[in-house]
Each structure stands twice: as structure tokens, then as C-alpha cells.
Amino acid sequence: MDAREQDEQLVAAELARYDRELRRYRKLRSRIEADFARRIEAAGFRYFQVTARVKSRESFERKVRRAPDREVRDILGVRIIAHFEGDLPGMEQVVREALIVDDDSWIDKSALLPLDAFGYRSVQFVGLLPDGQEAGDDAEPTGTQLEVQLRTALSDTWSELEHDFRYKSARQLPREVDRLFALSAALLEQADDNLDLIRRQVEEARTAAPTGDGGGERGYIGRFIQYDGDSRSLDQIITAALDVPFGAVTGSGRELRSVVRAAGWLQYDALAEGFAEYSELGRRLAIACASSTHDILLTDAEPQRPPRSFRGIGVYWTAMAAALVAGASLRESRVPDGRLAEYRVVARHLFEHPDASALATRSSYERVAAPVGTLDDAAFPPIELG
């Protein structure tokens, strides 16, 4: 039997399995929609939509034929649409609690874009429905795989239209269309940012003190930065120590959220406790690592920007320190992995030597650090601090 015949047998077997399981998948689709919506609403989120689907037989067959020996893991899928981007991390956590997640399948589509590009933004992963999740009157078997996608309503609209217009087009589209798609993606990304900012300011106008994390990720971080006295003091200390101007820094909000999330501080109370524990290490790490001659956040990605401090810089370096010392991945950060590896060495050195001078450590680090503007991870040699 040649390879083609073997592939056809595999395709036939997979199609037969699909036909056998289709009725069960359709029953699970309705249950998943209802269960996930109930869980997300119970967690305090108001603005969202849950849609489950079963991959069509035609789509399933096309995918199997592309790689007959590869398992199709998205026959059953669910899409979580949030009206506010700041709600997505919390909703993801809720969904994770309902599944046995394969973390190796986790993908952030925005992380695959070049640093200067805009486009399809979505988090997706695969999980198993745990024992009892599928249990009904007819005792459904367990182990069904479910693909989860999380994105904002604006990103969902953009991606659906782009898919229909660009990828289903029989002809190569004009370059002007590509430019308009990129421009639209940038505008929608800014619109998502604006919606979160609007909600945060509305909530701040309603309350004079932080209570819980009902405003989503961006809400609780913003309230902590605004109302916590120690956070404001650390901003001033770091700004003075680095001797850089204070003001608005483009991209600081997204970068700040990425490191807070990496530190595992997904709620207001967790952020407050983590800040109290690691703020001194964060101060020392900022003094040791932050550039005072180039862009303070994205030295390598945008070295042409002048250094400038910003509200929340203390939380940023504190969360960075906590994540680095814990060995957490900072895959959402725009700082190159090679630079983060250097920061990790510095953070662990400062953590293990609490009496070490941050200024002396800075001097040692500057002698071994890769040049400003380095983006290729291979150009960051391993470093050691004496």
C-alpha cells in the first residue's frame, strides 16, 4: 500500500469517526454555551457573548486531508467575545477552571505579529472537558477536546471580515487593500484601548476608593496605581533615581498589563499583596536595569524614543521583578526574550543579595549587557554578575 492509499484510509476513518460523534458534539455545543455563559456571568462580567460551534464535515475533511496523520483538535469549539479587552484575562481564567487545559496549545495571535504591525488578535487554546462535565442522562464519555478562542467584539468583527475579504478572494488583492486592513486594525486596537479607558474613568468617577476587581484587568491596575500611596511614592522614587522626565508614555499601559499578568496578579488584592512583598526589589531592579538614555520600556524595540517615566512605573518594575524571580514566562511583553533573560539574571542577583547596591549592580550589568536596539535573541549572550 502506497502513502496515498494510507492517507485515504486515514481520511475515511476520521470521517467515519466524525459521523459517529456528530450527534454527541451537537448536544455538547448547547451545554457548553450555557455552562460557560453561566460561569462568566457568575464571575461578575456583564458584557460578553459565548458561541459554541461544531466544525462542518466539509471543513473537517479539508483539515484532515491537509495532514491525515495529525489529530484534529477543534471539531468542537467555543468563542468568548468580550466587549472590553481588559475583561479577557479574567474570562480566560474562568474558562480554564472548567477545563483541563493543554498549556502547550496556548497561543496569543497578537504575539505573532511584528512589533510594528497590527492585525488579528485572539487568544486560543485546547482543553479537555473533565470527568462529569459531559455527564447526562445517557452518561456521555469524557475526554472530548474543546478549542477555546477569546477576543474582543471589535477584533472579532475585523477578523471575520478580513477572512472573508482577503482569504476567500480568488484574486490577489491590491496593495492598497492590505494598507487599509492594517490601518483598520490599528484603529480598532486603539478603540479597544479607549473603551477600557472610558470604563475605568466612569468607574473611578463613581467611587473614591478601590473595591475588588470588578473593572477587569485594566480597571484594577489603574485604580491601584491611582489610589495606593505606596505605588505613587515608588513612581516618584524611581523617576528621581533615574533622573528622567515624567509624562505619558505610548504603550506603557499594555506593557504594564503584560508584566502584571505574568506575575500572576490577576485581581486587585493579589496586586496589592504582591506589590507589598516585591516593591523594594522592584525599585532596585528599575535602578539597575532601566535605561536613562533611551526609551525606558522598549529600549530595543523603539530605541529612538527618549527616556520618560510614567504613572505606574513602580508597579511595572515590581511586577517584572516578581515574575522574573519566580521564573514566570513574560511572553506577552514586547521586551525581547534576550533582554528579559538579562533582566532575570539581574533580578535573581538582587533577590539573592538583598544588601547589594543597586547602583553597583547597574554598573556591573552595563558592562555585560547587549547593545541598545538588539532584537535578535541570538545576539544576547548569557551574562553573569559577580
Side-chain angles (χ1 to χ4, degrees):
M1 182 184 300
D2 60 22
R4 184 172 182 178
E5 291 176 333
Q6 290 180 338
D7 287 348
E8 286 300 321
Q9 286 191 357
L10 289 172
V11 171
E14 284 299 290
L15 289 174
R17 178 175 69 87
Y18 178 94
D19 293 336
R20 288 195 307 270
E21 299 292 317
L22 181 58
R23 182 180 177 186
R24 184 171 68 88
Y25 284 133
R26 287 174 173 170
K27 290 171 62 178
L28 282 174
R29 176 186 61 193
S30 299
R31 295 180 189 175
I32 289 168
E33 277 189 2
D35 180 55
F36 280 23
R38 176 187 58 79
R39 289 171 179 269
I40 293 172
E41 185 174 8
F45 298 100
R46 296 174 55 194
Y47 306 102
F48 67 92
Q49 180 182 357
V50 178
T51 304
R53 64 101 184 100
V54 178
K55 184 181 286 292
S56 70
R57 195 178 194 276
E58 293 77 12
S59 178
F60 176 79
E61 182 176 357
R62 286 196 300 270
K63 192 163 187 177
V64 172
R65 288 190 178 279
R66 286 199 296 268
D69 58 343
R70 185 180 303 170
E71 181 183 19
V72 177
R73 308 182 71 186
D74 64 341
I75 299 178
L76 188 62
V78 62
R79 182 174 294 172
I80 315 295
I81 305 297
H83 290 195
F84 296 96
E85 188 178 14
D87 285 344
L88 287 175
M91 290 183 182
E92 179 182 343
Q93 189 64 30
V94 171
V95 173
R96 280 176 168 271
E97 292 173 357
L99 301 171
I100 301 171
V101 175
D102 175 8
D103 285 319
D104 290 338
S105 69
W106 192 96
I107 298 175
D108 181 355
K109 292 289 187 179
S110 64
L112 304 179
L113 295 170
L115 291 174
D116 58 349
F118 300 89
Y120 177 63
R121 296 183 298 149
S122 176
V123 167
Q124 61 189 59
F125 54 87
V126 175
L128 288 177
L129 297 169
D131 292 341
Q133 179 69 30
E134 301 177 40
D137 295 337
D138 48 359
E140 303 284 356
T142 60
T144 300
Q145 296 189 89
L146 175 69
E147 182 189 68
V148 179
Q149 294 182 344
L150 297 105
R151 62 177 76 157
T152 66
L154 293 178
S155 291
D156 184 60
T157 299
W158 183 89
S159 62
E160 291 295 326
L161 292 177
E162 187 198 36
H163 184 266
D164 283 347
F165 291 162
R166 189 199 298 271
Y167 297 106
K168 291 186 179 180
S169 175
R171 294 183 176 182
Q172 178 70 32
L173 295 175
R175 183 177 178 83
E176 177 66 14
V177 173
D178 289 333
R179 193 185 74 83
L180 288 173
F181 267 124
L183 175 61
S184 299
L187 292 173
L188 290 176
E189 186 170 326
Q190 183 61 56
D192 270 331
D193 288 344
N194 290 347
L195 286 175
D196 273 341
L197 178 61
I198 289 169
R199 180 172 65 171
R200 185 174 74 241
Q201 292 184 352
V202 168
E203 290 180 345
E204 289 172 354
R206 289 174 177 171
T207 176
T211 54
D213 66 340
E217 182 183 13
R218 294 186 180 182
Y220 76 76
I221 296 174
R223 288 199 302 275
F224 181 83
I225 290 170
Q226 179 171 356
Y227 295 114
D228 187 88
D230 291 337
S231 171
R232 294 196 302 270
S233 296
L234 187 56
D235 287 351
Q236 296 170 359
I237 291 170
I238 291 177
T239 301
L242 296 176
D243 193 22
V244 295
F246 187 92
V249 175
T250 303
S252 61
R254 175 161 297 181
E255 185 65 20
L256 171 61
R257 291 188 297 275
S258 75
V259 296
V260 170
R261 182 177 180 183
W265 302 340
L266 304 182
Q267 295 180 336
Y268 186 94
D269 290 342
L271 171 55
E273 292 175 4
F275 183 86
E277 181 177 357
Y278 287 97
S279 59
E280 176 59 15
L281 181 61
R283 179 190 69 81
R284 297 167 69 220
L285 183 66
I287 293 172
C289 292
S291 172
S292 58
T293 56
H294 298 82
D295 174 61
I296 211 164
L297 281 179
L298 305 174
T299 302
D300 302 299
E302 299 176 355
Q304 73 281 2
R305 293 196 320 195
R308 187 183 298 273
S309 183
F310 59 94
R311 176 175 290 183
I313 191 171
V315 171
Y316 175 79
W317 283 102
T318 297
M320 175 76 78
L324 293 174
V325 168
S329 169
L330 285 97
R331 55 190 170 192
E332 295 181 18
S333 171
R334 290 179 62 196
V335 178
D337 288 343
R339 187 69 70 190
L340 290 173
E342 290 184 353
Y343 289 171
R344 196 180 301 276
V345 172
V346 178
R348 287 176 173 168
H349 173 80
L350 294 172
F351 180 76
E352 294 168 0
H353 302 86
D355 297 328
S357 164
L359 288 174
T361 301
R362 179 186 184 90
S363 179
S364 299
Y365 171 54
E366 288 178 339
R367 287 196 293 268
V368 296
V372 167
T374 303
L375 291 175
D376 185 1
D377 290 339
F380 288 88
I383 67 169
E384 293 182 1
L385 297 178

